[in-house]
Amino acid sequence: MNAPTTRRLTVAQALVEFLAHQYTERDGRRHRLINACWGIFGHGNVAGLGQALLESGDALPYLQGRNEQAMVHAAVGYARQCDRLSAQAVTTSIGPGATNLVTGTALATVNRLPVLLLPGDTFATRTADPVLQQLEVPQAGDVSVNDALRPVSRYFDRVTRPEALIPAALQAMRVLADPVDTGAVTLALPQDVQAEAYDWPEEFFADRVWRVTRPLPDADALADAVRAVRGARRPLLIAGGGVHHSEAEDALCAFADATGIPVASTQAGKGSLRHDHPADVGGIGHTGTATADALAREADLVIGVGTRYTDFTTASATLFAEPGVRFLNLNIAPFDSHKLGAASLVADARAGLEALTKELSGHRVDAEYEAAYGVAKADWELRVDAAFGARDASVRPSQTQVLGALDALVDDTDIIVNAAGSLPGDLHKLWRARSRRQYHLEYGYSCMGYEIPAAIGVRMAAPGRPVWALVGDGTYLMNPTEIVTAVQEGIHINIVLIQNHGYASIGGLSQATGGERFGTDYRFRAADGTYTGAPLPVDLAANAASLGMHVLRAATVGELRAALAEARGANRPTCVYVETETADTVPGAPEAQAWWDVPVAETATRPAAVAAREAYDRHTAGRRRHL
């Protein structure tokens, strides 16, 4: 009997070789599960994974980052654009390199997007103890800073022996490829173990395919769902990110065409229907449209497809106001399908929608209901036109007019990336999504600094499509470093950098909750603690140029239109810098159409806070639990 064939490699070499042979498959199409590895090297990974990546060449391409958090954001942007079927790895040194991963890791897991984290770790053998950057915990010798990644990872393991890599790596791939359990996966790699050699079975390096299935709904649950839809007079469907992840847009379109049921969308689900589809009523919740939110208040059945029902979607449990409203949730994750006391339909979004459409054959909502929401949709479009329009091209634009100029330029191929600030609210209410995956909003974690690195990941996943990172001055200052990466790698992204001299979103929230915009302006501070009217002498356009970007400055609406057109046709990373008008006389986005719960001080001395608390108490009276 022949002995099993083995190959002697270090742990790091074996891991890189293993990753190069992992695939996902859905609907007969195969994808590399781990497409590339981002890295910043230090003493925790340079001689282990660094050497292995160098040796592997194109088998697992290496991507150089500038900030550890940003590398995770880039990988997350890539995974989302790939419908979670392909992902990227991120390696860092021990110490601050590893702890800088925590924010990006939380973002990935909150949004249920796959990313593989490979931080270096302290010596497993403890022959050098403590090492440089090691956290010493007197009561627990096996703790390192990487343990901070445990609560924000969907799977965590520390590989303290070579042979332990085999089960750890297989479990890591299982989680990354699982549409229910996916998120950030962390394999902490002690630096001595990375360099240790072992005789690996050849089977470990064979091509392995992780099949991503489309579970069908249970027959009885489907029958209950069909009865619920047929019995509803004012149903409303809410499309979440699961529609995109499942590539269920065509199935949703067929469902809406057949039934006439209106479709609202969460931030993650926007674009599930084209903006001009008769059933698309726009965003829902605190940043939603008047059309969608009015339908939600009167709906007797809410059909959630692939949504987590965050507080922005439900207006902090105040939006669905009909006394007898019931919920039907189609979701691949049982955890989400049971929310709000819903009838649960656990299934893949595409498979579930196709089954519902078939079983509802011949059923359609009342013509009066369909006509009424059609009129409301048309009225909202007029409000969008007003917010986007600018009659005078010689004036400084408002933020919504910046979006209007971009809206007038793009086509189905463009992708916009955003995450934080006042832009997500304007975009959710106003943006006219033209195609699937055009609207890339990270709003599960709403992380400032996400946009620029994520745009790099998106462009890598969709190399032929124009990609726009929309950032305000606040989020730009959080994380501009990956501009250098885009320039170095020749990754053509466009940045629209909007200067409004402060945290516009939180400033508005502060004003609304009695905080009087305290600590939200970027202006000179006087000796008495107040802020003067003079903005800081900060030139963010010059900063972007210093990092290697081609920068176009736009002072007026006309110049903005020209700059955006030039950027879209450029062949290098380009930034369009524009300072926006903030005067109340400039048309802007319609105000919030639904409430959001941010607790206000119950006792206060300043009149603004007292008034805000009175308003808060009025809103909380409308909160309800759906059981």
Side-chain angles (χ1 to χ4, degrees):
M1 183 174 180
N2 295 329
T5 304
T6 61
R7 200 182 330 170
R8 191 162 183 81
L9 299 170
T10 68
V11 168
Q13 291 163 349
L15 177 58
V16 169
E17 178 76 5
F18 170 84
L19 294 177
H21 291 275
Q22 305 303 303
Y23 298 87
T24 60
E25 185 177 281
R26 184 168 71 182
D27 302 331
R29 295 181 310 219
R30 187 171 292 189
H31 311 263
R32 275 286 297 270
L33 177 50
I34 303 300
N35 163 272
C37 183
W38 290 92
I40 296 176
F41 293 119
H43 71 93
N45 62 348
V46 66
L49 275 171
Q51 183 276 334
L53 288 166
L54 171 65
E55 194 173 71
S56 72
D58 293 336
L60 187 64
Y62 168 72
L63 303 167
Q64 184 178 17
R66 267 73 193 174
N67 174 282
E68 291 87 357
Q69 180 186 140
M71 293 193 298
V72 184
H73 292 336
V76 167
Y78 177 87
R80 179 173 176 175
Q81 197 66 30
C82 291
D83 300 318
R84 307 192 300 184
L85 297 172
S86 187
Q88 293 177 332
V90 177
T91 181
T92 71
S93 182
I94 65 175
T99 52
N100 281 350
L101 294 173
V102 173
T103 297
T105 306
L107 180 147
T109 297
V110 166
N111 287 280
R112 301 174 191 183
L113 294 167
V115 60
L116 176 62
L117 308 175
L118 304 173
D121 212 327
T122 54
F123 282 64
T125 57
R126 303 188 193 176
T127 53
D129 185 43
V131 299
L132 177 67
Q133 299 178 325
Q134 179 175 339
L135 171 71
E136 292 186 273
V137 181
Q139 70 275 17
D142 62 344
V143 171
S144 81
V145 295
N146 283 325
D147 288 277
L149 294 166
R150 285 182 184 271
V152 291
S153 298
R154 292 294 283 180
Y155 178 79
F156 179 99
D157 202 351
R158 178 176 283 112
V159 182
T160 57
R161 290 289 305 144
E163 56 268 36
L165 177 65
I166 294 177
L170 292 171
Q171 286 295 332
M173 298 304 105
R174 176 192 64 80
V175 174
L176 290 171
D178 191 315
V180 176
D181 286 339
T182 196
V185 168
T186 300
L187 294 181
L189 302 171
Q191 58 180 316
D192 53 344
V193 177
Q194 286 183 48
E196 190 173 344
Y198 183 73
D199 293 322
W200 304 91
E202 280 289 352
E203 292 87 349
F204 185 54
F205 306 120
D207 286 356
R208 190 179 300 267
V209 178
W210 302 86
R211 186 163 285 109
V212 181
T213 61
R214 294 190 180 277
L216 297 171
D218 173 78
D220 291 338
L222 179 61
D224 290 343
V226 170
R227 281 191 292 272
V229 176
R230 289 186 179 276
R233 293 181 299 111
R234 297 183 303 279
L236 172 68
L237 188 145
I238 299 176
V243 175
H244 290 309
H245 298 330
S246 177
E247 300 176 277
E249 296 88 355
D250 289 345
L252 177 60
C253 183
F255 177 87
D257 287 342
T259 65
I261 293 174
V263 175
S265 56
T266 68
Q267 286 279 19
K270 190 173 174 73
S272 295
L273 287 183
R274 273 185 61 100
H275 73 94
D276 52 3
H277 189 285
D280 180 71
V281 294
I284 191 160
H286 178 62
T287 54
T289 68
T291 308
D293 286 351
L295 289 169
R297 292 185 179 97
E298 297 180 355
D300 56 356
L301 178 68
V302 177
I303 307 167
V305 181
T307 178
R308 299 188 297 125
Y309 287 111
T310 67
D311 59 344
F312 260 57
T313 298
T314 68
S316 300
T318 64
L319 185 57
F320 307 112
E322 171 64 29
V325 64
R326 304 304 299 168
F327 294 84
L328 166 64
N329 291 338
L330 165 58
N331 204 296
I332 199 167
F335 175 77
D336 293 312
S337 70
H338 288 279
K339 289 178 178 176
L340 302 180
S344 174
L345 196 61
V346 178
D348 169 77
R350 181 198 285 184
L353 284 168
E354 289 173 345
L356 276 173
T357 303
K358 180 180 178 180
E359 295 300 318
L360 287 167
S361 178
H363 174 75
R364 194 171 184 88
V365 297
D366 290 342
E368 291 183 3
Y369 180 57
E370 198 169 353
Y373 76 69
V375 171
K377 172 181 170 67
D379 289 344
W380 183 260
E381 286 302 312
L382 295 176
R383 298 177 72 176
V384 175
D385 289 339
F388 278 178
R391 290 186 295 273
D392 187 351
S394 66
V395 301
R396 177 185 294 176
S398 66
Q399 179 166 284
T400 56
Q401 289 168 348
V402 172
L403 299 182
L406 189 59
D407 174 82
L409 175 69
V410 303
D411 62 25
D412 291 11
T413 63
D414 293 73
I415 303 169
I416 60 168
V417 181
N418 186 240
S422 56
L423 279 164
D426 290 350
L427 287 163
H428 198 206
K429 285 193 285 281
L430 304 174
W431 186 258
R432 291 163 168 152
R434 294 157 170 80
S435 60
R436 73 175 309 269
R437 290 297 190 205
Q438 178 181 79
Y439 187 86
H440 185 116
L441 263 284
E442 187 288 295
Y443 215 58
Y445 211 48
S446 187
C447 183
M448 296 177 73
Y450 171 83
E451 294 89 340
I452 294 173
I456 292 173
V458 170
R459 177 74 180 191
M460 293 178 66
R465 299 179 64 176
V467 177
W468 303 85
L470 309 183
V471 299
D473 51 350
T475 197
Y476 177 86
L477 286 169
M478 286 278 183
N479 200 2
T481 56
E482 299 318 298
I483 287 176
V484 178
T485 300
V487 172
Q488 178 183 22
E489 301 295 332
I491 300 172
H492 175 199
I493 62 169
N494 295 317
I495 297 174
V496 179
L497 174 52
I498 299 174
Q499 171 65 275
N500 56 21
H501 302 290
Y503 300 119
S505 175
I506 295 302
L509 181 62
S510 173
Q511 187 76 30
T513 56
E516 303 175 53
R517 296 185 178 267
F518 174 73
T520 62
D521 284 335
Y522 285 173
R523 298 181 185 274
F524 282 105
R525 189 168 188 172
D528 64 357
T530 61
Y531 292 89
T532 68
L536 297 174
V538 175
D539 190 341
L540 298 183
N543 177 264
S546 75
L547 296 177
M549 259 204 153
H550 177 51
V551 176
L552 303 170
R553 295 176 184 259
T556 67
V557 170
E559 291 177 4
L560 172 66
R561 292 169 179 163
L564 291 172
E566 182 178 342
R568 192 172 187 273
N571 60 1
R572 54 178 168 167
T574 302
C575 173
V576 175
Y577 172 86
V578 58
E579 187 171 355
T580 54
E581 184 59 73
T582 57
D584 294 337
T585 56
V586 177
E591 62 183 15
Q593 304 297 307
W595 184 61
W596 182 45
D597 188 351
V598 177
V600 178
E602 195 167 359
T603 61
T605 57
R606 298 178 69 87
V610 173
R613 179 66 195 198
E614 292 172 353
Y616 179 81
D617 289 339
R618 289 193 299 272
H619 283 295
T620 55
R623 195 199 324 267
R624 60 184 295 193
R625 292 193 181 276
H626 298 284
L627 302 172

